[in-house]
Amino acid sequence: MGYQVEKSDAEWREQLSPAEYDVLRNAGTERPFVGEYTDTKTTGVYKCRACQAELFRSDTKFDSHCGWPSFFAPLAEDRVEYLVDKSMGTVRTEVRCGNCGSHLGHVFEGEGYGTPTDQRYCINSISLTLEPDAS
């Protein structure tokens, strides 16, 4: 698939820290409850750490107590793409940045959270950069 932002593996490795590269480019997962945005309440826009595309607003973030930042919807459906993920012995829906193809996390449905969409976008903090709203 062609993305608006495309870089070679060497360019991604130069731009990203080893931990960022593992998650964003190799679909790794950061450990639960250690990410910088897990409990953040700051108002603003969450962007892809790799390409700075705007992905989620803080007003869609909610406390799921799962160990990773959770959102009930992206800014728009074209901001993310979905892939079937059959790793880990189960079928899940992987969420990637629609602008550069970087791994963000997974989306789950029907878990009973009181959100407008009944979805939980479980996103790695290390995949995001928060741009706070101007005061």
Side-chain angles (χ1 to χ4, degrees):
M1 173 174 211
Y3 295 103
Q4 190 169 346
V5 174
E6 292 189 5
K7 296 183 181 187
S8 69
D9 188 59
E11 290 172 312
W12 285 122
R13 286 184 184 277
E14 185 176 312
Q15 174 188 330
L16 303 169
S17 73
E20 291 168 344
Y21 182 88
D22 180 55
V23 173
L24 289 159
R25 304 311 302 169
N26 287 333
T29 302
E30 67 187 341
R31 291 187 338 266
F33 301 104
V34 300
E36 66 181 303
Y37 301 127
T38 302
D39 298 316
T40 300
K41 306 288 186 209
T42 304
T43 302
V45 176
Y46 288 87
K47 297 180 175 185
C48 174
R49 190 166 295 201
C51 72
Q52 298 305 304
E54 294 183 354
L55 301 171
F56 300 95
R57 286 264 335 144
S58 59
D59 58 2
T60 66
K61 189 173 186 284
F62 69 101
D63 292 326
S64 68
H65 308 288
C66 71
W68 294 273
S70 296
F71 303 86
F72 61 78
L75 274 170
E77 281 301 316
D78 66 344
R79 303 297 174 103
V80 297
E81 67 174 344
Y82 305 96
L83 287 85
V84 174
D85 178 358
K86 294 183 179 178
S87 67
M88 307 294 287
T90 186
V91 178
R92 302 180 295 171
T93 302
E94 179 184 359
V95 180
R96 289 190 183 177
C97 175
N99 195 51
C100 72
S102 290
H103 174 76
L104 303 172
H106 292 85
V107 62
F108 303 94
E109 294 185 84
E111 296 178 315
Y113 290 104
T115 62
T117 63
D118 197 26
Q119 294 180 314
R120 176 174 58 96
Y121 286 78
C122 184
I123 307 298
N124 292 285
S125 284
I126 202 166
S127 296
L128 302 171
T129 301
L130 173 60
E131 182 179 296
D133 286 345
S135 298

